[in-house]
């Protein structure tokens, strides 16, 4: 029997997923689980979602044939321009969906976690749009590293609360958001920003992000006369942009799915976020997946030059893509990513987010045939990363 | 008979369950704290397995987890420390921890070690009922380890009945919506919740925890359940203790007698 990439009734992708949550969160998560598919299938909901994606976010985003990059790589390279979304990344696809869902569940307060601040900004944005109260948890260290995004959230009316426990980064911000949700179980919806967390979050976020691959299919048909590319390449931290870019191709075996993880200073350096290279099975933030951890089961703090990939796990769908060998997972070092980001800037006039630059670095590591059609998900723009580019300096 | 079941057969009111984090304040303190609690009259003792990401815990227990881990505490070391504890310790001992370290240790190996050193039960807040029934219960039962489930004010009656049916030990009543840690007193809304659960006439005994910090809150909780659980307030007192056994004797006496 063919391997399934659809989530099971109990919330599993193969052996990964589930909802490992304290009993105090059970009613919230159960409410969501029982209603999300029904709400998302409602024509009124779909009309609202599509209207906002079109008129507010600016979708569909272009599928752009990158001529000069293609000549350099030796294949037909298309860029899915998620960087052109309102707020500058794919994150907003999910926050628009979840805030509409929160409204239908009768919630009027929103919480979120953020690492680099992109999901926090996308959440603060939709909360402003809907007039909802918004609290974003962010690691104290990340707040220092990503000051402009902290101020963007504040301008948008959100309260940014520092996570001061543990390593004071994304995983701790997620812990704090979960604790807040435990304390405010009835009026608050938690907008998780990636395909992580307890079921139904991974599936719900993947479905909201699946607009990316839905558009790729249509656009590729128009431009290449075929719906399926040979390759789809996307970076993976938790994995939301990759889940969206892969979604409609998972059951199309001729499409190769390539996920790039942040290798940091190298997978053996102790300074890495390449989860599938050094991780093992475990449970974090509500789901069974692949994690960076010690023998004793303590979560190991990841490192990457890109704050958006700086997470010690991957979503359970990606763990299943990896485990079943449906997906190819590559590790890209900080330097390889920066080099690829500068190359894209010079060849195509597009400065990518450092996260997305990890996807472009895969082009340098893979062998292609001249007529291969390769889609790279350009998940975000590089404006937020200027300081990182300047520090890197080789341009 | 499991010591937890035996305890509730012998005594059904004013039971004091005290939580402390293994390897805190210092790695070598686990046995001292455990034995002092037992000697001071704690009826049940709950030992926290430190974890890097304790989402159900408030700041005091988080910090004790961080400190214990930084000093080298681990589950393996905890079982070494508990080796031979039954020569002295009479009270039921329960391990409280998150599911990931238990999975990494190995479920069967974990249960085997619990049985070997004389641990009677376990509380795993992020191991939900269904996953427990599907994948864990058979092994826990083989080794006679009781699994304690939490309920909160938001837990539906139907689910409480299900948890009661699947439990053999006691039910841990989380006192209100929140993580572990001290609060200011017990509110009217909490009392209504305590009464509602009391009226359900569950088959299992109940202990109330989260936000119980002193004699007043302990006594109030004991009016509505078989006893109560104190964690953060005790961990706080340990962090300030000059002499651990004396501090523990005083703490337990203050909570029980005011």
């Amino acid at each position: 029997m063919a391997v399934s990439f659809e989530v099971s009734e109990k919330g599993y992708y193969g052996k990964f997923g589930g909802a490992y949550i304290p009993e105090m969160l059970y009613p919230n998560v159960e409410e969501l689980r029982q209603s999300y598919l029904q709400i998302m299938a409602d024509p009124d909901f779909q009309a609202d979602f599509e209207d906002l994606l079109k008129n507010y976010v600016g979708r569909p985003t272009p599928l752009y044939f990158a001529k000069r990059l293609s000549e350099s790589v030796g294949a037909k390279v298309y860029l899915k321009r998620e960087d052109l979304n309102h707020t500058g990344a794919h994150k907003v696809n999910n926050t628009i969906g979840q805030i509409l869902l929160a409204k239908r569940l009768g919630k009027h307060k929103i919480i979120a976690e953020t690492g680099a601040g992109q999901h926090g900004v996308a959440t603060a944005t939709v909360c402003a749009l809907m007039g909802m109260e918004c609290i974003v948890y962010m690691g104290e260290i990340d707040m220092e590293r990503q000051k402009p995004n902290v101020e963007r959230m504040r301008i948008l009316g959100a309260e940014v609360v520092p996570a001061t426990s543990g390593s004071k980064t994304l995983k701790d911000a997620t812990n704090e958001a979960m604790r807040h949700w435990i304390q405010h179980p009835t009026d608050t919806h938690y907008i998780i920003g990636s395909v992580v967390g307890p079921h139904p979050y991974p599936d719900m976020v993947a479905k909201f992000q699946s607009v990316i691959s839905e558009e790729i299919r249509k656009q590729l048909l128009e431009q290449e006369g075929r719906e399926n590319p040979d390759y789809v390449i996307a970076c993976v931290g938790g994995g939301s942009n990759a889940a969206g870019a892969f979604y409609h191709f998972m059951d199309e075996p001729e499409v190769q799915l390539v996920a790039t993880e942040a290798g940091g200073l190298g997978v053996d350096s102790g300074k890495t976020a390449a989860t599938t290279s050094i991780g093992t099975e475990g449970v974090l933030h509500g789901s069974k997946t692949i994690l960076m951890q010690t023998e004793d089961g303590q979560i190991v703090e990841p490192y990457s030059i890109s704050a958006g990939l700086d997470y010690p796990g991957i979503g359970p769908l990606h763990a299943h893509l990896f485990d079943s060998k449906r997906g190819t997972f590559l590790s890209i070092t900080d330097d390889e990513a920066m080099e690829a980001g500068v190359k894209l800037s010079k060849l195509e006039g597009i400065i990518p987010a450092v996260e997305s630059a990890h996807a472009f670095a895969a082009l340098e590591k893979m062998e292609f045939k001249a007529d291969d059609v390769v889609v790279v998900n350009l998940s975000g723009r590089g404006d937020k990363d200027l300081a990182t580019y300047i520090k890197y300096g080789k341009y | 008979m499991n010591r937890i079941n035996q305890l509730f057969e012998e005594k059904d009111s004013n039971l004091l369950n005290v939580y402390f984090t293994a390897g805190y304040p210092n790695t070598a303190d686990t046995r001292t704290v455990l034995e002092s609690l037992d000697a001071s009259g704690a009826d049940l003792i709950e030992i926290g397995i430190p974890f890097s990401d304790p989402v159900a815990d408030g700041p005091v227990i988080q910090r004790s987890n961080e400190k214990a881990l930084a000093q080298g505490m681990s589950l393996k070391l905890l079982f070494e420390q508990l080796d031979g504890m039954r020569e002295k310790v009479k009270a039921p001992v329960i391990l409280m921890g998150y599911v990931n370290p238990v999975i990494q240790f190995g479920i069967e190996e974990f249960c085997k070690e619990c049985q070997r050193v004389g641990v009677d039960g376990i509380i795993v807040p992020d191991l939900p009922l269904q996953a427990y029934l599907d994948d864990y219960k058979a092994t826990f039962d083989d080794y006679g380890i009781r699994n304690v489930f939490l309920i909160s004010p938001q837990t539906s009656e139907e689910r409480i009945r299900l948890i009661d049916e699947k439990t053999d030990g006691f039910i841990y009543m989380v006192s209100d919506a929140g993580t572990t840690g001290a609060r200011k007193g017990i509110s009217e809304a909490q009392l209504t919740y305590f009464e509602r659960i009391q009226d359900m006439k569950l088959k299992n005994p109940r202990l109330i925890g989260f936000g119980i910090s002193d004699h007043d809150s302990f006594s109030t909780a004991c009016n509505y359940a078989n006893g109560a659980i104190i964690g953060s307030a005790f961990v706080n007192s340990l962090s300030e203790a000059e002499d651990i056994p004396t501090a523990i004797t005083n703490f337990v006496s203050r909570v029980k007698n005011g």
Side-chain angles (χ1 to χ4, degrees), chain B residues 27-46:
Chain B
T27 312
D29 290 334
T30 306
R31 272 297 274 275
T32 314
V33 176
L34 173 65
E35 288 172 14
S36 304
L37 277 170
D38 189 53
S40 303
D43 299 292
L44 296 94
I45 301 166
E46 203 183 307

Side-chain angles (χ1 to χ4, degrees), chain A residues 10 12 19-24 26-28 164-168 171-172 174-176 178-180 182-186 280-285 288 291 293-300, chain B residues 50-58 62 66 69 73-76 99-101 103-105 125-131 134-136 150-152 154-155 159 163 174 176-179 210:
Chain A
K10 285 184 175 174
Y12 284 85
Y20 293 81
I21 44 164
E23 188 62 34
M24 296 83 91
Y26 180 84
N28 310 31
T164 57
S165 59
S167 53
K168 304 178 175 63
K171 81 176 174 69
D172 310 282
T174 308
N175 293 340
E176 289 303 334
M178 286 192 168
R179 289 179 186 123
H180 180 108
I182 288 173
Q183 286 159 26
H184 302 86
T186 50
T280 49
E281 286 175 40
V283 171
L284 178 68
H285 294 148
K288 187 177 275 183
L291 299 173
Q293 58 184 325
T294 66
E295 259 180 30
D296 187 41
Q298 310 299 334
I299 308 307
V300 170
Chain B
F51 183 48
S52 54
D53 295 83
V55 291
D57 285 298
Q62 284 172 43
E66 278 172 29
L69 289 174
M73 197 59 206
S74 69
L75 185 50
K76 188 167 171 280
V99 73
N100 196 52
I103 292 174
Q104 303 314 320
F105 197 84
D126 60 344
L127 176 61
L129 180 65
Q130 198 56 51
D134 291 348
D135 303 327
Y136 295 75
L150 277 55
I151 62 169
S152 84
Q154 276 69 43
T155 311
R159 193 163 167 84
I163 287 171
V174 174
D176 70 352
T179 50
F210 287 40

Side-chain angles (χ1 to χ4, degrees), chain B residues 63-120:
Chain B
R63 279 196 297 272
S64 68
N65 277 237
E66 278 172 29
K67 187 171 179 214
L69 289 174
Q71 294 172 156
M73 197 59 206
S74 69
L75 185 50
K76 188 167 171 280
L77 181 55
L78 174 59
F79 283 123
E80 285 170 23
Q81 291 175 342
L82 297 184
D83 194 30
M85 71 168 174
R86 283 300 169 199
E87 288 160 22
K88 282 194 176 173
V89 179
K90 300 282 171 288
V93 171
I94 296 158
L95 298 188
M96 183 273 172
Y98 293 82
V99 73
N100 196 52
V102 176
I103 292 174
Q104 303 314 320
F105 197 84
I107 308 304
E108 174 122 30
E109 195 56 29
F110 176 82
C111 292
K112 209 182 270 180
E113 282 292 274
C114 283
Q115 190 186 50
R116 183 181 69 81
V117 301
V119 165
D120 308 287

